[in-house]
């Protein structure tokens, strides 16, 4: 089981040079075309913050279909953007306004279909794909399933309201996923709008906007009057340029299921965001534990389409069953292969549900630490008072274990909520409560996802346990 440095970089959508640098840090000197083993590749992937899915043998070949992407085959692709922010700050309104800003629509009616994502063309001719489900729930859920579809997060903050609880959550999720943020300071048409206050408040959350000397773009907009919309779209194009997004369009398609449902008269329908290659009618594919043959492709304008390439959202008809959002989508060579993989995955799913409570993440993390494959332990820390929070943070930050370091995804005063569980889950981390409990929903979610919540009332016990975890010496408590 091996992979070239280039292919690893492609799969992570990172630059080859960055991967080589990361390998060097681990003491591995490699060139772009060098073949490295799976263990090393996994380490690198974790270094870049990617969730590593251990693929079963039947899957390996499926993934290996992509090993032939060469640098010279890569073409620029447009960015995929997710809009996040506090409720009522204007996420939906902004997505609607942007949809109408599409210059390619002309008189043809424009983007009318809600298929879970849409692509627009801006005046400069650049294209941008937007995920049409605002909020961080979908984003986190997808990431927890191993699907990283978002290149850029637009953080919507209402200028008359400022930073609120879900704004902070969104910042955390974007940060955990290592996705760059552009701030859209919305509702600036309102008389009580104070966009400058938003910028100042962002400082407390370590977001330093450009006009304060930082590197985060913040654009004043109004989804209502459409003021600033063009500037926002330009900011996205600029950020995308920096990211140098690329994919090989000339290969069998792979992508992610954004949305899937059963529709009367159409059967199972899935919206797929193509990430690499080009999907065409007639292609045979696997989507999660389902398979199918593309009977028809429908774009975000409701028009039939012959094909869809990288960063393009497309509705796929011809599924045998209904996959789940976040599932992978991979075109394979023939029907028997597709059946074989889907059957295998169905069997895995059945086995998994039989051994209820997946208990995957923590054990995986611990064994990764034990075998020296992980170099950080993601933590979410909740406490009863500020003082203990500060003390715990300060002590953890000073912990000098040789390789594995604690990475605090989030720490705050308050009970453990579902949002804490999903944040820790998406990064394969652990939740620590100090003199606080989890609410029933959070407990249920943790149980379902095999997430570990540890409770403490003595700081030393907490620190000792984290130390033990960091050295891989503590068994999970599940
Ligand atoms: P979401 O919950 O973040 O998706 O927020 P919505 O898009 O549903 O917007 C919440 C409310 O704010 C709605 O009543 C919108 O009409 C209003 N709204 C959104 N954007 C603006 C804006 O730029 N200016 C003004 N004045 N109102 C806005």
């Amino acid at each position: 089981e091996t992979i070239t440095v280039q292919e690893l970089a492609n799969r992570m959508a990172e630059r080859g040079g960055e991967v080589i640098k990361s390998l060097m840090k681990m003491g591995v000197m490699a060139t772009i075309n060098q073949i490295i083993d799976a263990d090393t590749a996994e380490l690198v992937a974790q270094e870049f913050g990617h969730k590593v899915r251990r693929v079963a043998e039947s899957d390996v070949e499926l993934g290996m279909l992509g090993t032939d992407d060469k640098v010279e085959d890569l073409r620029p692709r447009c960015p995929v953007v997710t809009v996040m922010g506090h409720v009522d700050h204007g996420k939906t309104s902004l997505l609607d306004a942007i949809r109408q800003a599409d210059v390619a629509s002309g008189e043809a009616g424009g983007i009318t279909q809600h298929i879970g994502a849409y692509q627009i063309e801006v005046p400069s001719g650049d294209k941008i794909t937007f995920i049409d489900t605002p909020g961080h729930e979908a984003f986190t859920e997808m990431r927890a399933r191993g699907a990283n579809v978002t290149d850029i997060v637009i953080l919507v903050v209402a200028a008359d309201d400022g930073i609120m609880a879900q704004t902070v959550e969104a910042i955390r999720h974007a940060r955990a996923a290592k996705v760059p943020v552009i701030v859209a300071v919305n509702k600036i048409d309102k008389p009580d709008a104070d966009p400058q206050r938003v910028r100042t408040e962002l400082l407390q959350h370590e977001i330093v906007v450009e006009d304060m000397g930082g590197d985060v773009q913040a654009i004043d907009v109004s989804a209502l009057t459409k003021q600033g919309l063009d500037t926002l779209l330009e900011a996205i194009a600029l950020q995308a340029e920096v990211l140098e997004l690329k994919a090989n369009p000339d290969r069998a398609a792979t992508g992610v299921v954004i949305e899937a449902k059963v529709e009367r008269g159409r059967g199972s329908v899935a919206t797929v965001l193509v990430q690499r290659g080009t999907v065409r009618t007639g292609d045979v594919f696997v989507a999660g534990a389902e398979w199918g043959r593309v009977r028809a492709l429908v774009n975000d304008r409701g028009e039939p389409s012959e094909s869809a390439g990288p960063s393009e959202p497309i509705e796929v008809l011809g599924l045998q069953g209904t996959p789940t959002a976040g599932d992978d989508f991979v075109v394979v060579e023939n029907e028997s292969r597709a059946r074989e993989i889907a059957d295998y995955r169905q069997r895995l799913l059945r086995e998994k549900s039989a051994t209820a409570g997946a208990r995957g993440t923590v054990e995986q993390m611990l064994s990764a630490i034990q075998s020296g494959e992980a170099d950080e332990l993601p933590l979410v820390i909740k406490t009863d008072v500020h003082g203990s929070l500060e003390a715990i943070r300060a002590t953890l930050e000073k912990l000098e274990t040789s390789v594995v370091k604690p990475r605090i995804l989030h720490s705050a005063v308050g009970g453990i909520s579902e949002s804490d569980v999903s944040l820790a889950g998406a990064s394969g981390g652990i939740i620590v409560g100090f003199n606080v409990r989890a609410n029933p929903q959070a407990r249920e979610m943790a149980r379902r996802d095999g997430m570990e919540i540890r409770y403490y009332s003595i700081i030393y016990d907490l620190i000792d346990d984290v130390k033990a975890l960091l050295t891989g010496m503590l068994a999970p408590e599940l």
Side-chain angles (χ1 to χ4, degrees):
E1 224 184 308
T2 55
I3 187 169
T4 67
V5 173
Q6 180 64 59
E7 169 61 12
L8 178 61
N10 293 348
R11 286 204 206 173
M12 299 192 299
E14 301 283 356
R15 266 179 262 176
E18 293 302 320
V19 175
I20 292 175
K21 253 192 254 168
S22 159
L23 279 164
M24 274 166 65
K25 268 197 278 175
M26 294 159 41
V28 180
M29 298 297 157
T31 60
I32 193 82
N33 292 316
Q34 192 146 336
I35 291 167
I36 55 175
D37 62 34
D39 288 347
T40 311
E42 188 169 331
L43 254 172
V44 173
Q46 279 163 353
E47 178 81 27
F48 281 91
H50 290 276
K51 195 176 169 97
V52 178
R53 258 182 310 170
R54 289 194 174 272
V55 283
E57 233 168 80
S58 169
D59 281 356
V60 171
E61 263 182 80
L62 188 62
M64 285 319 222
L65 272 174
T67 51
D68 46 5
D69 277 346
K70 300 195 195 73
V71 201
E72 60 265 32
D73 295 332
L74 300 179
R75 297 286 170 274
R77 63 169 181 86
C78 80
V80 179
V81 177
T82 296
V83 175
M84 300 205 260
H86 196 70
V87 64
D88 279 347
H89 278 197
K91 298 180 292 295
T92 313
S93 307
L94 193 64
L95 277 165
D96 285 344
I98 292 170
R99 188 183 277 112
Q100 290 157 22
D102 177 36
V103 297
S105 293
E107 286 156 23
I111 303 156
T112 48
Q113 297 293 106
H114 287 257
I115 64 170
Y118 65 81
Q119 192 177 63
I120 64 152
E121 195 178 311
V122 298
S124 65
D126 290 326
K127 288 179 175 173
I128 306 173
T129 298
F130 287 87
I131 303 291
D132 212 357
T133 334
H136 55 256
E137 290 81 8
F139 178 82
T140 312
E141 181 70 26
M142 299 259 259
R143 225 165 66 75
R145 297 177 59 83
N148 284 315
V149 296
T150 305
D151 300 308
I152 298 168
V153 163
I154 301 297
L155 180 70
V156 179
V157 188
D160 61 339
D161 206 18
I163 310 291
M164 303 297 281
Q166 286 162 293
T167 318
V168 180
E169 277 174 23
I171 293 172
R172 251 180 253 139
H173 284 291
R175 190 168 289 151
K178 300 187 178 158
V179 175
V181 168
I182 296 174
V183 183
V185 184
N186 191 32
K187 304 199 187 184
I188 52 155
D189 58 285
K190 285 198 151 188
D192 50 346
D194 188 352
Q196 210 46 41
R197 197 190 79 199
V198 172
R199 286 171 171 75
T200 313
E201 285 178 353
L202 282 168
L203 286 173
Q204 286 164 25
H205 303 280
E206 286 151 56
I207 293 204
V208 189
V209 301
E210 279 177 342
D211 33 0
M212 291 187 146
D215 58 1
V216 176
Q217 302 187 80
I219 316 294
D220 291 348
V221 296
S222 166
L224 194 72
T225 67
K226 313 235 164 43
Q227 187 185 339
L229 219 55
D230 290 345
T231 318
L232 177 63
L233 296 175
E234 278 164 25
I236 296 170
L238 191 69
Q239 179 72 58
E241 226 175 277
V242 173
L243 294 172
E244 289 187 59
L245 307 165
K246 288 194 171 103
N248 176 6
D250 300 314
R251 42 158 292 166
T254 67
V256 175
V257 174
I258 301 289
E259 217 176 76
K261 52 184 184 275
V262 184
E263 273 182 24
R264 193 188 292 246
R266 297 174 92 205
S268 288
V269 182
T271 297
V272 171
L273 181 76
V274 179
Q275 293 182 302
R276 297 193 301 170
T278 299
V279 60
R280 296 189 170 78
T281 47
D283 280 352
V284 176
F285 62 89
V286 178
E290 305 295 340
W291 72 277
R293 179 185 288 275
V294 181
R295 196 169 73 229
L297 295 170
V298 180
N299 67 18
D300 50 11
R301 285 135 222 273
E303 302 155 349
S305 184
E306 279 304 309
S307 66
S311 297
E312 251 183 273
I314 194 85
E315 215 175 34
V316 176
L317 278 73
L319 277 149
Q320 300 292 315
T322 314
T324 312
D327 277 345
D328 61 351
F329 173 92
V330 184
V331 169
V332 297
E333 56 272 31
N334 57 43
E335 234 178 80
S336 66
R337 181 92 185 106
R339 270 178 210 276
E340 182 194 346
I341 298 163
D343 283 351
Y344 179 81
R345 289 178 166 187
Q346 295 271 0
R347 204 163 61 236
L348 277 189
L349 281 181
R350 275 196 300 274
E351 280 167 16
K352 206 172 149 193
S353 66
T355 56
R359 58 157 52 199
T361 40
V362 179
E363 277 181 4
Q364 255 172 27
M365 171 58 64
L366 287 171
S367 75
I369 288 175
Q370 272 157 6
S371 59
E373 286 167 30
D375 60 359
E376 55 181 27
L377 173 69
L379 292 167
V380 171
I381 302 166
K382 298 301 285 280
T383 68
D384 55 343
V385 292
H386 223 82
S388 45
L389 184 66
E390 289 309 312
I392 291 165
R393 278 196 70 118
T395 316
L396 286 180
E397 273 156 18
K398 272 187 291 203
L399 279 188
E400 285 289 338
T401 44
S402 51
V403 257
V404 191
K405 292 187 175 52
R407 176 175 173 220
I408 301 173
L409 295 172
H410 169 48
S411 63
V413 170
I416 295 161
S417 67
E418 291 146 280
S419 148
D420 296 323
V421 177
S422 70
L423 180 65
S427 296
I430 287 170
I431 305 142
V432 176
F434 183 77
N435 283 336
V436 291
R437 309 298 295 174
N439 69 29
Q441 294 88 329
R443 265 203 300 276
E444 171 54 27
M445 190 169 167
R447 196 197 55 75
R448 189 197 69 197
D449 297 348
M451 295 292 310
E452 179 152 353
I453 305 180
R454 286 175 175 265
Y455 302 102
Y456 298 91
S457 51
I458 297 169
I459 291 189
Y460 292 111
D461 287 349
L462 188 159
I463 300 292
D464 277 352
D465 273 10
V466 172
K467 269 191 204 160
L469 281 166
L470 293 175
T471 49
M473 297 309 288
L474 190 68
E477 233 170 31
L478 291 166

